[in-house]
């Protein structure tokens, strides 16, 4: 039942918070934007789609389902603020997905999607999260690899 | 053109465009209260005094209202008499600027000011049961009355600061209050429905807290959610924001103590 589920979900929505211990601090790896894409993997890292799936679902890391739906079973609360992720692997190539995860606002300035690999131009960041990106380069690459598998 | 005429012309132009740039109430009709986004069960519990857990705090507030406090030994009732008449409608006007100090006060601060100024007692800490109780008790006397805060005059700079806060992106997740509570109100955020972010039910009983909590406690949760600085209780930032929220709630009926998830 709706109410019961909601009560159980109790834990706070964006509460992504507290997590991201992985985000390794200070310096961002350099990358090059071409049109709407970052063609080269960050730091030349290769992504693992299984880890990427975990990050997308993990409320303390990607927490992407707060806004998106994804074709995964057993996830009762799927978001509706962003487009469904199903089929994104056929709509966008890896470089295009990468830029959207790094900083969606480069494509749509008024977007509500957080910038996951950016530290400049943010204000009033909680001291616990200051000066490091929301996700690290490996996590970005893992999610790119996972999203590329969502072809239907 | 003489300086006098130039000035007159500027004044005339200014008076023509002022209506366009004066902040009008953002919405002609009152925004819907957060209560409408609750399940029917919870709405019914909120409306039923015997089932609403927030009423425990209201009852405690009623007791404190009569209780002699501080060096003066005066109770709230000694000066204000019967709250059902003296406090009726008061909460609809808060936050408000205190004429003596020029400070913006929310209802909690106003009550604490009576403790220090008039009872010669210590202020209650934010989120303490006595302060929540008295605040809820005073606000309860305005149940059903429409919010109606002053935002001009001495309140204007506070209002402007609150409005700016509401609209600027903040935190590691880089979201403004407006992006959720204006642009996406009514849509669901993983099992929660985003309301318009009004304070008309506060202090409110939140199931997640298992307690009554102030509006500022709720604001701290929203800041936390976007990984932004959680300002201290009573900080000027949140006070100004409270004033802006109260103006957004213009015409919305007070529902303290509301129930929230």
């Amino acid at each position: 039942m709706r109410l019961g589920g909601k009560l159980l979900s109790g834990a706070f929505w964006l509460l992504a918070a507290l997590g991201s211990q992985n985000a390794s601090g200070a310096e961002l790896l350099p990358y090059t934007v071409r049109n709407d894409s970052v063609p080269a993997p960050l730091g030349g890292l290769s992504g693992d789609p299984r880890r990427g799936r975990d990050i997308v679902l993990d409320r303390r890391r990607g927490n992407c389902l707060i806004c998106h739906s994804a074709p995964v079973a057993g996830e009762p609360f799927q978001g509706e603020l962003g487009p469904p992720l199903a089929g994104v692997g056929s709509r966008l190539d890896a470089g295009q997905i990468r830029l959207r995860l790094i900083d969606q606002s480069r494509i749509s300035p008024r977007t509500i999607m957080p910038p996951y690999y950016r530290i400049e131009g943010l204000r009033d960041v909680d001291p616990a999260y200051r000066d490091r990106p929301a996700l690290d380069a490996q996590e970005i690459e893992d999610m790119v690899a996972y999203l590329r598998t969502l072809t239907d | 053109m003489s300086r006098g005429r130039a000035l007159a012309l500027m004044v005339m132009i200014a008076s023509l465009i002022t209506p366009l740039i004066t902040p009008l109430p953002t919405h002609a009709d009152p925004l819907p209260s957060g209560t409408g986004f609750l399940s029917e069960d919870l709405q019914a519990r909120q409306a039923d005094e015997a089932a609403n857990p927030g009423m425990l705090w209201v009852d405690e507030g009623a007791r404190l209202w009569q209780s002699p406090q501080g060096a003066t030994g005066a109770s709230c009732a000694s000066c204000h008499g019967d709250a059902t008449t003296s406090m009726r409608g008061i909460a609809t006007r808060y936050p408000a600027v205190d004429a003596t100090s020029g400070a913006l006060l929310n209802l909690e601060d106003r009550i604490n000011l009576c403790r220090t100024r008039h009872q010669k007692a210590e202020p209650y800490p934010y989120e303490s049961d006595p302060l929540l109780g008295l605040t809820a008790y005073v606000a309860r006397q305005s149940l059903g009355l429409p919010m109606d805060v002053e935002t001009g005059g001495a309140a204007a700079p506070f209002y402007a600061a609150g409005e700016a806060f509401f609209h600027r992106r903040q935190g590691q997740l880089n979201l403004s209050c407006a992006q959720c509570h204006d642009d996406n109100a009514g849509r669901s955020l993983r099992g929660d429905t985003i309301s318009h972010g009004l304070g008309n039910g506060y202090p409110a009983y939140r199931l997640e807290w298992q307690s009554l909590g102030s509006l500022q406690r709720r604001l701290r949760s929203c800041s936390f959610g976007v990984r932004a600085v959680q300002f201290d209780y009573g900080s000027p930032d949140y006070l100004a924001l409270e004033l802006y929220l109260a103006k957004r709630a213009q015409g919305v009926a007070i529902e303290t103590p509301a129930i929230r998830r």
Side-chain angles (χ1 to χ4, degrees), chain B residues 60-61 63-70 74-76 106-116 119 121-135 233-234:
Chain B
E60 173 65 3
R63 194 185 63 75
L64 286 169
W65 182 261
Q66 306 287 346
S67 143
Q69 297 279 322
S75 70
C76 315
N106 60 13
L107 202 51
E108 287 88 343
D109 295 338
R110 177 61 255 188
I111 291 167
N112 265 334
L113 190 58
C114 273
R115 281 183 61 80
T116 54
Q119 292 179 312
E122 290 289 309
Y124 291 125
Y126 255 92
E127 304 312 295
S128 64
D129 285 333
L131 186 57
L132 288 170
L134 274 171
T135 309
Y233 284 108

Side-chain angles (χ1 to χ4, degrees), chain B:
Chain B
M1 186 173 2
S2 77
R3 280 183 73 184
R5 289 196 41 199
L7 192 67
L9 188 66
M10 275 165 61
V11 169
M12 198 190 86
I13 293 172
S15 68
L16 283 176
I17 61 171
T18 306
L20 301 177
I21 58 177
T22 317
L24 297 166
T26 10
H27 308 267
D29 292 325
L31 291 172
S33 163
T35 300
F37 297 93
L38 296 176
S39 67
E40 282 176 19
D41 286 9
L42 285 182
Q43 291 192 34
R45 265 176 79 187
Q46 175 174 310
D48 177 356
E49 294 204 347
N52 183 336
M55 290 307 291
L56 294 174
W57 279 262
V58 173
D59 293 346
E60 173 65 3
R63 194 185 63 75
L64 286 169
W65 182 261
Q66 306 287 346
S67 143
Q69 297 279 322
T72 64
S75 70
C76 315
S78 313
C79 294
H80 294 292
D82 180 359
T84 58
T85 50
S86 69
M87 291 290 127
R88 188 172 159 75
I90 299 293
T92 64
R93 297 192 279 99
Y94 276 79
V97 175
D98 172 42
T100 314
S101 63
L104 182 68
L105 305 177
N106 60 13
L107 202 51
E108 287 88 343
D109 295 338
R110 177 61 255 188
I111 291 167
N112 265 334
L113 190 58
C114 273
R115 281 183 61 80
T116 54
R117 191 184 275 170
H118 297 301
Q119 292 179 312
K120 307 289 178 224
E122 290 289 309
Y124 291 125
Y126 255 92
E127 304 312 295
S128 64
D129 285 333
L131 186 57
L132 288 170
L134 274 171
T135 309
Y137 178 65
V138 170
R140 183 74 179 175
Q141 309 312 319
S142 299
L143 182 68
L145 299 179
M147 288 293 295
D148 186 20
V149 287
E150 177 61 62
T151 56
F158 299 109
Y159 179 75
E163 182 176 34
F165 190 155
F166 193 83
H167 289 98
R168 74 176 168 245
R169 287 175 180 264
Q170 52 205 287
Q172 194 188 44
L173 303 186
N174 201 34
L175 286 166
S176 70
C177 316
Q179 284 180 292
C180 281
H181 291 294
D182 270 343
D183 303 349
N184 286 293
R187 300 175 74 188
S188 97
L189 195 71
R190 203 162 196 173
D192 239 331
T193 304
I194 303 176
S195 73
H196 294 270
L198 307 181
N200 60 306
Y202 287 76
Y205 185 90
R206 208 170 153 208
L207 301 174
E208 188 177 312
W209 297 332
Q210 296 284 303
S211 170
L212 207 69
S214 69
L215 179 55
Q216 294 209 1
R217 185 170 179 192
R218 175 69 241 192
L219 298 181
R220 286 169 61 92
S221 309
C222 280
S223 297
F224 180 68
V226 297
R227 300 179 177 178
V229 172
Q230 295 136 65
F231 293 99
D232 290 339
Y233 284 108
S235 70
D237 308 75
Y238 279 159
L239 276 173
L241 189 54
E242 270 195 66
L243 179 62
Y244 181 69
L245 296 182
K247 185 62 181 180
R248 273 170 67 78
Q250 176 74 29
V252 180
I254 291 197
E255 298 178 345
T256 309
I259 298 184
R260 293 292 184 263
R261 298 181 44 235

Side-chain angles (χ1 to χ4, degrees), chain A residues 9-51:
Chain A
S9 88
F12 193 46
W13 37 284
L14 254 193
L15 223 205
L18 293 179
S20 270
Q21 292 93 343
N22 299 8
S24 47
E27 292 297 286
L28 297 182
L29 300 172
Y31 57 84
T32 310
V33 181
R34 289 227 167 72
N35 301 320
D36 74 334
S37 158
V38 174
L42 293 170
L45 297 165
S46 64
D48 171 8
R50 274 183 324 170
R51 280 201 310 256

